[in-house]
Amino acid sequence: MRPEVSVIMYVKNGMPYFKRALESVAAQSLQNIEILVIDGGSTDGTIEYTKQCRDTDSRIRLLFSEKGSVGAQFNLGVGEAAGEYIGIVESDDYILPEMYEKELACAKKYHCDVLRADNMVFFGDGDKEVCLRTKVSNKEGDYNRLICASREPENVLIGGSFWTGLYRRTFLTEQDIRMNESPGAAYQDFGFLFLTGVLAERILLMPEAFYCYRKDNPNSSCNRPDRLEMPIAEYDFLENELKKRGLWKQYKEHFLLWKIRNERWFYFNLEESMKESYIKLLYQDLETLKGGDFTFALLHNKETELLYEASKGEEQLGGYLREKDRIWEESMRKIEENKGSEQKQIYLFGAGNIGRILQHFLEKQKGILLAYADNGEQLWGKVMNGLKVLRPQDGLEDKDALFIVCSENYACEIYKQLRENGVDQYRIAVCDDMDSCIRFVMKNDR
C-alpha cells in the first residue's frame, strides 16, 4: 500500500540526538508512512544505528548522498518519496506522536498543497528540558483558512519554519521545487520556503504545535556556520529561481524584505569573532541592490535603517551594527537586573513569540510581570498566558516600570512610540530578535 506520508530525515553524524528523532517518527500514530533517512557521510555510528532500526521496521529506508549538501540530501529524498505528502524532520529534533495523523487529516480535508503549523523550540533534555511555544503567525485570522499568495500578496511572508508541516508531493514535483544544493547544512530552506509560499494555490496554517526544534546543539550548522556567505548565496539562488520562473517582477519587493531581514538576522546570530568579516560581505552585497529598481515599499524601519547606514559606506554600516549590539547587551542587562525584583514592575510590549519567551523566563525568575501591551486593538482586554493585554497608554503612568519591547518587525516603531509618550530610555529594553532571546534564556534559565 502506498504510504500516505514520506518523512525525509537528512543526517550527517547526528548521534546522539538522531536516536530520539528517528524514534519519534517511528512512533507516529499514523502508521502508514515511509521514513527516508538520507545520510550525508556519517562516521559516528548513525549509519549502523539506522540499519539496526531498519531491520525491525520495514518502513525505514536508508539512502546515501555523496554531495555534502543538505539541499542535495533533501532533493534525493523528494525524488525517492512515494507518499501523497512529504514531511521533514531534522536529525536533532523530535515530533509529537500525533503530528502526522492530525496534519494529514487537515491537509486532505482542505486539499492543501502546503500545510504548516505552530511549533515548540526546546533546549535541555529529560527533566531539564524547556519547551517554548512559537506561532507560525501572530494573526489569529490567518489560521484554519486557505491562503494563496497570488491572490493575497501580503501573505507571502506567512509560513514559519519549513519542517513544521506537510507538502503535497505532486505539488513539489510538478512545480519542480527543490532546495539549493550548495555545500553545507544551513540556510538552504530560505529559497524552498519562499518558492512554496508563492507557488502554492492552497496553503493552510494549523494552530496546534507538534514539531519540537532543538536550539542547543553546539554542532548545529546554524550555530556554527562554516561559510559566512551562505545566506547571501541562498538569496542569489532564489533571485535566479524567481527570474527563471517569470515571478521576479511580481515578488521582488517581498524578496527584498526577506533578503535584508534574514541577512541582518544572520549578523546578530554570529559569534563575535565572525562579525567583522561578515560586515564586509554584507556591505558588498547591499551595494548590489542599488541598481535593482526596488521601491522598498514593504520594508520596516529596521530594514530601511540598515540600508540607509550601508549607503554611507562600510565603516558607517559597521558602526551601526556594533551600536545595535551594544543596545542589545544593555537591554539584556536591564532584564537581568529586574528579574525577581519587587521594586520594578514589567510590561511586555508585544504579545507575539518574543513576548511569550520572555514571559516564561521572567515568571520562572520571579519577575513582577504586570501585563502585555500591544498595538493590536483586537487583543485589548484579552488574557494571554495568564496576563491581560492592555492598550499601550494604559501602563505609561507607571513611572518605575520597565517596558520590554518584544517585536521582531516593529521594535523601532514601538521604541519611538514609548519615547514620544514620555517613557525614559533607561526604562526601555529592546528585544527584536527571537533567536537571540532564546539564547539569552538558555544562558540564564536556571
Side-chain angles (χ1 to χ4, degrees):
M1 183 170 58
R2 190 180 83 172
E4 294 180 286
V5 175
S6 298
V7 184
I8 295 174
M9 303 185 72
Y10 41 81
V11 61
K12 180 179 180 181
N13 293 330
M15 303 300 278
Y17 300 129
F18 181 63
K19 183 175 186 292
R20 183 181 189 184
L22 183 54
E23 287 178 350
S24 75
V25 177
Q28 288 293 291
S29 57
L30 178 70
Q31 289 291 295
N32 186 21
I33 63 175
E34 66 172 348
I35 305 169
L36 305 177
V37 178
I38 320 294
D39 190 86
S42 295
T43 57
D44 67 342
T46 295
I47 295 174
E48 291 74 16
Y49 172 72
T50 303
K51 287 181 177 178
Q52 291 174 9
C53 294
R54 182 188 61 184
D55 290 342
T56 59
D57 190 338
S58 61
R59 300 173 303 169
I60 297 174
R61 295 174 60 194
L62 176 60
L63 304 169
F64 298 93
S65 172
E66 299 178 354
K67 290 189 176 181
S69 162
V70 156
Q73 289 173 263
F74 175 79
N75 294 342
L76 175 60
V78 172
E80 292 286 332
E84 181 180 0
Y85 281 90
I86 289 175
I88 304 105
V89 176
E90 296 195 325
S91 61
D92 54 355
D93 303 334
Y94 70 93
I95 56 177
L96 300 185
E98 69 276 15
M99 174 169 168
Y100 288 129
E101 180 180 8
K102 290 188 174 181
E103 289 191 348
L104 180 66
C106 190
K108 285 187 170 183
K109 177 181 177 181
Y110 290 95
H111 307 286
C112 294
D113 294 324
V114 175
L115 181 143
R116 296 195 177 110
D118 291 351
N119 70 284
M120 308 289 289
V121 296
F122 77 99
F123 53 90
D125 288 294
D127 294 339
K128 295 183 179 180
E129 182 172 301
V130 176
C131 286
L132 305 170
R133 174 74 172 267
T134 63
K135 297 179 70 64
V136 69
S137 175
N138 285 319
K139 300 177 183 178
E140 293 302 320
D142 289 335
Y143 288 95
N144 293 323
R145 72 178 183 90
L146 287 172
I147 294 169
C148 176
S150 63
R151 293 189 292 273
E152 302 175 70
E154 68 277 10
N155 286 325
V156 172
L157 303 180
I158 290 177
S161 298
F162 80 110
W163 23 250
T164 63
L166 292 171
Y167 302 85
R168 186 165 56 83
R169 180 177 58 84
T170 53
F171 161 67
L172 296 181
T173 56
E174 290 169 2
Q175 295 288 346
D176 193 28
I177 301 175
R178 296 292 188 269
M179 280 194 193
N180 185 10
E181 297 192 1
S182 56
Y187 313 110
Q188 287 93 339
D189 58 316
F190 285 176
F192 179 84
L193 185 61
F194 193 100
L195 288 172
T196 54
V198 300
L199 290 170
E201 290 291 319
R202 303 173 71 85
I203 300 175
L204 189 120
L205 307 183
M206 289 183 70
E208 291 85 5
F210 308 106
Y211 194 101
C212 302
Y213 178 67
R214 180 179 290 278
K215 298 296 292 187
D216 62 349
N217 180 357
N219 296 316
S220 166
S221 53
C222 289
N223 290 332
R224 298 177 61 186
D226 56 0
R227 294 184 300 116
L228 291 177
E229 70 275 12
M230 283 194 294
I232 296 171
E234 289 308 308
Y235 279 100
D236 290 342
F237 164 79
L238 177 56
E239 180 177 346
N240 289 332
E241 282 291 310
L242 292 172
K243 289 178 176 178
K244 181 178 69 176
R245 295 167 183 267
L247 297 171
W248 178 249
K249 184 176 180 180
Q250 184 177 0
Y251 293 114
K252 66 180 181 179
E253 299 298 333
H254 299 87
F255 165 88
L256 181 68
L257 176 57
W258 277 44
K259 174 182 172 68
I260 297 176
R261 181 176 292 173
N262 283 320
E263 290 180 2
R264 181 186 186 276
W265 165 86
F266 186 75
Y267 169 84
F268 290 109
N269 285 273
L270 282 172
E271 295 179 1
E272 289 300 320
S273 60
M274 300 179 176
K275 287 186 172 181
E276 291 302 317
S277 296
Y278 180 66
I279 288 172
K280 181 177 293 293
L281 289 174
L282 178 60
Y283 172 73
Q284 293 170 351
D285 185 59
L286 295 179
E287 279 286 283
T288 66
L289 298 176
K290 289 183 176 179
D293 191 28
F294 296 105
T295 68
F296 308 99
L298 297 181
L299 303 187
H300 296 120
N301 279 1
K302 71 176 185 180
E303 292 94 23
T304 55
E305 275 187 2
L306 186 73
L307 287 178
Y308 176 71
E309 298 299 333
S311 70
K312 299 178 182 178
E314 181 181 334
E315 184 176 344
Q316 186 74 19
L317 175 64
Y320 166 78
L321 291 171
R322 286 187 285 272
E323 174 63 12
K324 288 294 183 181
D325 279 333
R326 186 196 66 78
I327 292 172
W328 174 265
E329 292 298 328
E330 183 180 277
S331 295
M332 295 304 101
R333 178 183 55 76
K334 291 176 184 177
I335 295 172
E336 184 72 12
E337 288 176 352
N338 282 278
K339 71 177 185 182
S341 171
E342 297 183 359
Q343 305 300 318
K344 293 282 187 181
Q345 294 177 320
I346 300 170
Y347 291 91
L348 297 173
F349 202 130
N353 288 330
I354 293 176
R356 285 188 294 274
I357 291 166
L358 289 177
Q359 179 185 353
H360 158 85
F361 171 74
L362 290 164
E363 288 183 340
K364 189 170 182 179
Q365 304 295 338
K366 304 188 186 304
I368 311 301
L369 282 172
L370 282 183
Y372 282 109
D374 200 279
N375 283 317
E377 185 175 349
Q378 74 280 5
L379 297 176
W380 296 345
K382 291 186 177 181
V383 175
M384 298 184 62
N385 302 320
L387 292 180
K388 190 173 183 180
V389 182
L390 305 178
R391 300 176 304 166
Q393 59 267 37
D394 289 343
L396 295 177
E397 295 180 0
D398 191 342
K399 300 301 182 184
D400 293 322
L402 175 68
F403 291 84
I404 305 179
V405 177
C406 306
S407 175
E408 291 194 277
N409 296 330
Y410 299 102
C412 296
E413 292 88 338
I414 294 173
Y415 178 84
K416 182 179 178 181
Q417 180 182 355
L418 289 171
R419 294 289 291 125
E420 289 176 346
N421 282 277
V423 179
D424 191 284
Q425 62 178 328
Y426 299 107
R427 294 194 294 117
I428 303 174
V430 178
C431 301
D432 61 356
D433 184 86
M434 186 178 76
D435 286 315
S436 297
C437 279
I438 291 171
R439 285 199 303 276
F440 170 78
V441 172
M442 286 167 50
K443 179 180 177 181
N444 295 283
D445 196 342
R446 300 185 179 91

